[in-house]
Amino acid sequence: RQRQMCIRDRLGTVLHRLSEKQRSAILLRYFQGMNDRKISELYHVSRSAICSRRTRGLKKLKMLLSEGK
């Protein structure tokens, strides 16, 4: 249980180091279960823009998390 809280805290800290656009694309997809079409409609951008934001955000997230090891 303590480990889960530590992981959750670390993820929250790292997510806030992403841009707002990247963070939103990741949170809406993976934590709210929204698909790219719905996210793109919400932000009035193309689906490819949402996919790019999420891809760049995940890449940065991976890098930031690996720094903390």
Side-chain angles (χ1 to χ4, degrees):
R1 181 124 176 113
Q2 184 71 18
R3 181 172 162 79
Q4 284 179 329
M5 289 180 67
C6 183
I7 292 169
R8 194 175 312 140
D9 290 345
R10 175 80 176 127
L11 184 58
T13 299
V14 174
L15 279 168
H16 279 90
R17 293 181 61 191
L18 302 178
S19 74
E20 184 178 341
K21 291 177 181 181
Q22 292 170 342
R23 184 172 52 253
S24 294
I26 291 170
L27 292 176
L28 290 172
R29 176 62 178 243
Y30 297 110
F31 292 87
Q32 297 297 318
M34 290 179 74
N35 63 35
D36 288 348
R37 181 182 57 78
K38 290 190 181 220
I39 299 169
S40 68
E41 289 172 358
L42 179 67
Y43 287 102
H44 305 287
V45 297
S46 68
R47 280 190 253 178
S48 62
I50 295 300
C51 186
S52 294
R53 291 174 185 181
R54 188 177 59 252
T55 300
R56 284 191 303 268
L58 289 171
K59 185 176 178 180
K60 186 173 180 182
L61 188 65
K62 183 178 178 181
M63 180 197 67
L64 292 168
L65 287 171
S66 68
E67 286 177 358
K69 288 185 177 179

